[in-house]
Amino acid sequence: MKTNERRHMRKNLEVEVDKFNDERGGWRLAELFVESHRPAGGGRSSRGRAMLRALRRRWEAYKYRFVPWIALNLRHKRRTLRYVPEDCKDKIVSDEEVLETLLKIFKALFISDFSRQTNILALLPEVKSTYLELLHLQPSKSKITFSCYESENIFSPEELLFHTLGFSITRNQSSLVSAGTGVFVTRGFVPKGAVVAMYPGTVYQKYEPIFFQSIGNPFIFRCIDGVLIDGNDKRISKAVYRSCSRRDQLGPFRMSDVSWLTPVVENPLAVGQYVNNCSPDEAANVCYQEFDVPECFPIELKQYLPNVTYSHDIQSPLRCVVLIALRDIKQGEELFSNYYTIVN
């Protein structure tokens, strides 16, 4: 090869290597490599492009767990970072506000399904009388829930969410190219600081086994203290969650919600694992916040918590993760979060 040709190739390669710092630069370099090595007849070019597209899809799902890629892209993705100066300051709203919101929607769900709670209420007469008072003594303040009780649950969980918190959300095809499923506000209005979703899944301590569950799994969320939440609703992750949920059940009392593993969810907030990462064109409008369920949480409402611990003998409170609105979110908008968290 002549010296001038080598210089020309080296110069072009340096230009393309610079593009690698961009999110898609590495793939553009690979595409150029395929183009430059394509046979003159182009016999297998279509097969090569198909393989490249398949590899690209796999990479898009995996790259956020590939440390070298994250290190290269941190300075180019400033708007997708969430900085936390200290662990204790990772709170957009207080735990008391989060608890108040969860109790509000969970109570509405419980009352809407009141006729099916017979076994639980038979063991909790005081709780039964409290809910009966809510149903019959304050019908003007609880028209929706009262109608549900009288008419055998005529409202869907999404409708209850709208009537209780003022908005509803659902899963649908994301507006981002190749992003798969996303989460949208379908009705109403989400005010800044509101709990808009929950991140469901099995909760693992740092020392617990999660290797096989993590293979090809883009739904593992890492908390600031190293606790992991597996939000995958398929394959081995699904089986592990169901097993742990059945293990924790106490007679008629379900300690967790398994409906998020199905297309029809009982807790309409439990879709947070499908919220996509923000992009240069779409800034984040929600962020993650960790929440430990207090011991005083009503036992009859735990059936709506979409999380379960992997080990039965864990003494610490159940870890949940909620998504908080960073700004007012209007009907029709898709939710976008920050996948990166830096703790100084």
Side-chain angles (χ1 to χ4, degrees), residues 142-176:
S142 308
K143 291 181 179 180
I144 297 300
T145 53
F146 183 79
S147 299
C148 293
Y149 171 61
E150 295 292 336
S151 305
E152 290 295 325
N153 198 8
I154 61 174
F155 290 99
S156 68
E158 289 76 16
E159 290 175 316
L160 278 173
L161 179 62
F162 172 72
H163 291 293
T164 304
L165 300 184
F167 65 89
S168 62
I169 57 175
T170 191
R171 294 171 288 187
N172 209 333
Q173 179 65 38
S174 175
S175 59
L176 299 179

Side-chain angles (χ1 to χ4, degrees), residues 24-317:
R24 302 181 183 274
W27 283 107
R28 180 54 186 157
L29 182 60
E31 290 169 355
L32 290 173
F33 180 83
V34 172
E35 292 286 339
S36 63
H37 289 75
R38 181 181 298 174
R44 298 186 179 181
S45 60
S46 59
R47 183 183 301 177
R49 287 195 296 269
M51 290 178 62
L52 190 59
R53 285 195 296 269
L55 286 172
R56 183 171 182 171
R57 287 194 296 269
R58 296 294 298 272
W59 169 249
E60 291 293 330
Y62 173 76
K63 64 185 178 183
Y64 298 106
R65 291 182 288 144
F66 185 57
V67 175
W69 182 89
I70 294 175
L72 283 172
N73 284 271
L74 282 179
R75 65 189 181 92
H76 298 281
K77 289 284 187 178
R78 306 286 303 184
R79 69 184 303 172
T80 69
L81 302 180
R82 180 166 64 100
Y83 288 93
V84 179
E86 299 175 18
D87 292 11
C88 61
K89 295 182 180 180
D90 182 34
K91 302 288 182 182
I92 301 298
V93 298
S94 67
D95 286 345
E96 289 74 19
E97 292 177 273
V98 174
L99 178 61
E100 181 182 357
T101 299
L102 296 184
L103 291 178
K104 189 175 182 180
I105 182 61
F106 288 2
K107 286 180 179 178
L109 292 170
F110 186 85
I111 293 175
S112 73
D113 204 21
F114 196 77
S115 61
R116 300 181 184 179
Q117 309 290 345
T118 306
N119 294 333
I120 293 178
L121 296 173
L123 299 174
L124 301 172
E126 294 182 359
V127 172
K128 180 178 180 179
S129 61
T130 300
Y131 283 105
L132 286 175
E133 289 179 5
L134 289 175
L135 286 167
H136 297 292
L137 298 182
Q138 300 178 0
S140 60
K141 297 181 181 180
S142 308
K143 291 181 179 180
I144 297 300
T145 53
F146 183 79
S147 299
C148 293
Y149 171 61
E150 295 292 336
S151 305
E152 290 295 325
N153 198 8
I154 61 174
F155 290 99
S156 68
E158 289 76 16
E159 290 175 316
L160 278 173
L161 179 62
F162 172 72
H163 291 293
T164 304
L165 300 184
F167 65 89
S168 62
I169 57 175
T170 191
R171 294 171 288 187
N172 209 333
Q173 179 65 38
S174 175
S175 59
L176 299 179
V177 178
S178 303
T181 302
V183 179
F184 293 81
V185 177
T186 52
R187 294 180 66 187
F189 168 82
V190 182
K192 179 181 178 180
V195 175
V196 66
M198 300 182 71
Y199 198 100
T202 306
V203 180
Y204 293 83
Q205 299 299 315
K206 291 183 286 187
Y207 52 83
E208 291 179 325
I210 195 175
F211 173 76
F212 290 107
Q213 297 92 311
S214 68
I215 297 176
N217 183 357
F219 295 104
I220 295 180
F221 180 93
R222 185 184 186 277
C223 299
I224 288 179
D225 58 359
V227 171
L228 302 173
I229 300 180
D230 182 4
N232 195 356
D233 57 8
K234 297 178 178 63
R235 298 187 292 274
I236 187 173
S237 300
K238 179 178 182 178
V240 169
Y241 186 92
R242 284 188 180 279
S243 176
C244 293
S245 181
R246 287 193 295 266
R247 174 204 65 198
D248 291 346
Q249 184 166 343
L250 301 174
F253 296 98
R254 290 185 291 136
M255 297 293 104
S256 57
D257 173 31
V258 297
S259 67
W260 68 271
L261 298 169
T262 69
V264 182
V265 296
E266 291 182 13
N267 175 2
L269 295 177
V271 294
Q273 79 276 32
Y274 285 106
V275 173
N276 285 304
N277 188 43
C278 54
S279 68
D281 299 324
E282 298 288 351
N285 51 22
V286 298
C287 74
Y288 302 102
Q289 179 169 313
E290 297 161 19
F291 171 73
D292 291 335
V293 179
E295 293 184 4
C296 63
F297 199 87
I299 190 172
E300 74 274 10
L301 301 181
K302 288 186 176 181
Q303 61 183 298
Y304 303 112
L305 290 171
N307 297 98
V308 63
T309 56
Y310 178 75
S311 295
H312 183 63
D313 56 351
I314 296 297
Q315 300 300 320
S316 57

